[in-house]
Every structure is written in C-alpha cells, then in structure tokens.
C-alpha cells in the first residue's frame, strides 16, 4: 500500500493492489500499521523453573567453562542428580535458551572464521576422506576405501580418485591425475598434515614436508601450504568438497537402485561420471581460470615408490613394513620393488618376475602358496607351525576341506592338505576346488587320492587310423623322372 502511494497512485488503486478496503487504507495511512501496534513481551508469563539454582549453581559452571564445552543436556542430568524429581526433559529447551542468552551477554569470546577470496589459478586443495558410510559393496562384499579429491578453490573444479590408504603413491597418483586432466598447474596446493607428505620433527614436535613430496612439488613448480593441527576448517574447500561429493554419490546410489558393483573399475567409472557432471556446472569459471594456470612439465613422475630388498630364506621380501612372498628361485638375490597404489611389481635385473596386489589396511603379509608349495610338499610337517599358515587357504572351501580332514585324520590331515595344495598349484585350482565342494556336499570322508581322482582331467581319446592297401612309392619315382629338383 505504501509503495503504491509513494508511486503517486490513488487510495483506490493502492487499496486494490494491496487487497484491502479504501477505509483501511485511510486508517493505516494516518496511523501506525498493525505490526507497529504490537507490544513486545519483556517478562515471562510462566514461573522460571531455574530461579533457585541459576545464580548459585549453573552460573558458576558456565563461568568456569571458558571453552564453551558444556551442553544443556549434561547440565540437566547434573541438576537431576542434585535435585531429584525437580528437573526433567520438559525443561531442556528452556535451559538451552537461558544458556544461549547468558553466553551471548557474559560468555567468552568465540573463535572467528574469516571468509576468504580465492583468485583464479592461485590455489587448489586436496585431501583424503573415508567412504564407509556410503555402504558400497563389490560382488556383495563390503568395499572399504577412501576417496582422494583435488578441488580448485576459485572455480570449484574437482578431480576424484578411489584410494585404499593415505599412502605416498596414492597421493602422487591423485595429484598427477588431477593436474594432467586439468591441463595446467595452479600456484599453490594446500593439504592438511598428511603423513604421506609430512614427517614429524624431532626437536619441535611439529611437522614439515618430507623430501619425496618436495621433489614432486619441485617437478611441477608448486608451492605448498598446510593447515594447523586439528584445524580442518583451514582446508575448508576440500572438506566441503568431500561432503558434497559423498552426498552426490549417496543420492546417485539411490537412483541406481543398488550400491553393489561387479568390480572396482565399474564403481570407479560410476564416481567419475558423477564428478564429470558436477564439473560441467562450473565449466565457464574453469575456462576463466585456465588462463591463469601455468604449463605442465614435459612428463609426469613415476607413480610408484622404489625399494631394493633381498629375498630371504623364507622366500619373502619386506616392503614398507609388509611381507610379500616371491618365487623361491629368487632366494638370496636382491630384487627391485615398485610399490604402486594398488599393486606391487618385483624386478630382477630389469625383468618383471612377479606382480601382486598390494596389502591394504592392517594386513601384515601376502603369501602366495604357489611360491613355496614345492618345498612344503617335501616337508609337510612344517605346515603345522608355519607363521603364515592362515595365508595357505586359497578360498573358504579349502579351509573347510582342511577342517573336515582334521576332524577324522588328526595331524595326518596336514600331509593330505599340503598334497592337495600342490595339486592345485600344478594343475587347475578351480578344478580342485570344484572337487572339494562336491566331496564336502556329499559328507563322505576323503583324502588326497580321492581329490586327485575327481579333479584329474579326462585322458583324451586317441583315434585309431587305418590305412587301406599298400603305399605305392612308384608315384614318387615318376615325379623324379619328370625332372623335379
């Protein structure tokens, strides 16, 4: 109404535009509006339930709590213990309001967060985040993994990559993958105190960048910054990026109708499609930011960490505090080991001799029974006390078979089981496992001989060839007579 009158409209037009009568327009034009007539209530109409305890008991607690840690539910429980029956859950909202108002007027200063401006091309932030809450499974099995994310602070462009630990190789793989997909290098990259990039100083107990990470930064001409300990908000772009990406993945899983994937590669492709869709929303800002990025170097650095290890008499090597088995023919020689994000390659004098999956999580060893079965079958007594005995069951079926034989053969089961392992290594493991499943399902007793008979491939039938009549060699003589050379 006031707006229309200020525009020079008549009272009738103002009344029609504001949906009221002309009489109301005349009344409210001369006097205060209805909202201006309301008198704010300054006193409570109900008795204060904390009148007898606020100044004497609650205020001293709030003054002593300089960090502002105490919450209303805790104080309410504390009051209930001191005054049984006087306070309950119905007083919680009142106590929360009283504490909020007291801290606003009398409490300590609170930490201030400063909104930042991010010039184009200056900064990127990167970090790892755990994704267990997404409930992703691979082939029906829970898939424990992390997500590496690289986010440009100005445009919000992001790069995401599935990781299995906050390792140096995962950090290098993610950083290089982001830079080469982006097609340029920002001025600064920011992280928290990642153990893959930093190490603890002995004197100050602080942390600084390690030499391996500095070498990567020098290769790309990057400057690096890091947050203070326990200050994740200082890496806020990456933290918000994690929350938004995981929300997008969770919603996409709902639309998909299932969180189970056939393989890690299928799940990785699913995540990359989500990231690509989000990046399309900021393509104009990314195009602007591209003009401020620096050029990439001629080539990326290797995405593995090199080690040199001597193969021990147990046919194992130690790499990054983990134990891996290798073929026994390498015992006593030094091998070169390349530790990638998800696998380990073993070289001897430039020749790749073994490639295996990298140990993830808290695992300490990865032993392939094929590497040692040749010696173990000659010394089956070593199986009973073998340190890595639990690694000698290729599948759950093999473990069930061993337990079954142990039940009716006792310690003699070790000999039969080692021979079954040797049979699996020298023929087809899948055929041996199929035979074991049939025997376990039939509930009959079995040993190595029975398993061998069931899993042995059928002998091929050799057809009988019958020659009719005698061979006439005169044909060959006539060929030579015709001048053949």
């Amino acid at each position: 109404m006031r707006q229309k009158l200020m525009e020079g409209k008549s009272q009738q037009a103002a009344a029609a535009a504001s949906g009221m009568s002309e009489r109301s327009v005349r009344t409210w034009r001369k006097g205060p509006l209805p909202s201006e007539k309301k008198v704010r209530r300054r006193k409570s109409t109900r008795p204060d339930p904390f009148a007898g305890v606020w100044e004497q008991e609650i205020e001293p607690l709030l003054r002593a709590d300089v960090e502002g840690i105490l919450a209303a539910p805790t104080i309410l429980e504390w009051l209930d213990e001191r005054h049984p029956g006087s306070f309950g859950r119905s007083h919680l909202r009142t106590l929360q309001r009283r504490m909020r108002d007291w801290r606003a007027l009398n409490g300590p200063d609170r930490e201030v967060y400063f909104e930042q401006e991010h010039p184009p091309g200056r900064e990127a932030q990167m970090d790892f985040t755990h994704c267990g809450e997404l409930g992703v499974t691979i082939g029906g099995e829970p898939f424990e993994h992390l997500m590496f994310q690289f986010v440009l602070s100005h445009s919000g462009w992001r790069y995401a990559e599935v990781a299995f630990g906050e390792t140096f190789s995962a950090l290098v793989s993610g950083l290089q993958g982001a830079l080469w997909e982006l097609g340029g290098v920002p001025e600064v990259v920011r992280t928290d105190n990642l153990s893959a990039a930093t190490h603890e100083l002995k004197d100050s107990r602080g942390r600084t960048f390690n030499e391996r990470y500095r070498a990567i930064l020098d290769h790309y001409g990057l400057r690096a910054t890091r947050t203070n300990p326990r200050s994740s908000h200082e890496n806020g772009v990456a933290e918000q990026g994690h929350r938004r990406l995981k929300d997008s993945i969770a919603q996409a899983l709902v639309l998909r109708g299932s969180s189970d994937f056939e393989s890690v590669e299928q799940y990785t492709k699913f995540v990359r499609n989500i990231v690509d869709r989000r990046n399309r929303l900021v393509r104009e800002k990314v195009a602007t930011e591209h003009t401020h990025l620096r050029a990439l170097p001629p080539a990326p650095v290797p995405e593995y960490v090199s080690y040199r290890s001597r193969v021990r008499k147990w046919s194992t090597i130690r790499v990054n505090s983990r134990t891996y088995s290798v073929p026994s023919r390498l015992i006593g020689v030094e091998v070169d080991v390349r530790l990638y994000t998800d696998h380990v390659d073993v070289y001897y004098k430039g020749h790749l001799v073994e490639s295996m999956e990298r140990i993830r999580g808290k695992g300490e060893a990865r032993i392939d029974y094929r590497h040692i079965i040749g010696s173990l079958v000659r010394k089956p007594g070593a199986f009973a006390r073998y340190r890595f005995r639990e690694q000698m069951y290729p599948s759950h079926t093999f473990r069930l078979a061993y337990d079954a034989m142990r039940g009716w053969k006792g310690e003699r089961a070790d000999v039969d089981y080692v021979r079954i392992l040797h049979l699996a290594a020298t023929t087809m493991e899948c055929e041996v496992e199929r035979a074991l499943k049939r025997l376990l399902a039939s509930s009959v007793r079995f040993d190595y001989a029975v398993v061998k008979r069931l899993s042995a491939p059928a002998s091929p039938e050799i057809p009988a060839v019958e020659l009719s009549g005698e061979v006439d060699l005169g044909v060959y003589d006539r060929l030579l007579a015709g001048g053949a050379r």
Side-chain angles (χ1 to χ4, degrees), residues 369-370 373 398 418-436 448 451-458:
Y369 72 95
R370 296 176 180 84
I373 193 62
F398 281 81
V418 168
R419 291 177 177 176
I420 291 172
L421 270 186
H422 185 261
L423 180 66
T426 54
T427 57
M428 295 287 289
E429 181 184 304
C430 60
E431 294 294 336
V432 175
E433 184 174 8
R434 188 177 295 112
L436 291 175
Y448 163 71
V451 176
K452 182 179 181 181
R453 185 169 61 254
L454 283 178
S455 61

Side-chain angles (χ1 to χ4, degrees), residues 15 18 60 100 163 229 251 261 273 284 323 359 396:
S18 54
R100 178 200 61 198
Q251 294 176 54
F261 296 83
N273 288 337
E284 293 181 359
T323 299
I359 297 173
H396 187 57

Side-chain angles (χ1 to χ4, degrees), residues 190-250:
R190 185 169 181 81
T191 66
D192 59 14
N193 288 275
L194 292 172
S195 58
T198 65
H199 68 273
E200 187 174 355
L201 298 173
K202 295 181 179 179
D203 298 331
S204 63
R205 295 295 181 182
R207 299 190 73 87
T208 187
F209 295 121
N210 57 47
E211 293 184 4
R212 297 188 302 178
Y213 185 56
R214 288 185 181 278
I216 300 296
L217 298 176
D218 292 342
H219 182 77
Y220 287 97
L222 276 165
R223 288 196 301 110
T225 61
R226 55 192 175 86
T227 65
N228 293 308
R230 296 176 296 279
S231 301
S232 58
H233 63 275
E234 296 179 2
N235 208 25
V237 173
E239 294 294 335
Q240 282 294 316
H242 290 328
R243 182 183 64 79
R244 291 168 182 165
L245 178 60
K246 287 196 283 189
D247 284 348
S248 297
I249 294 175

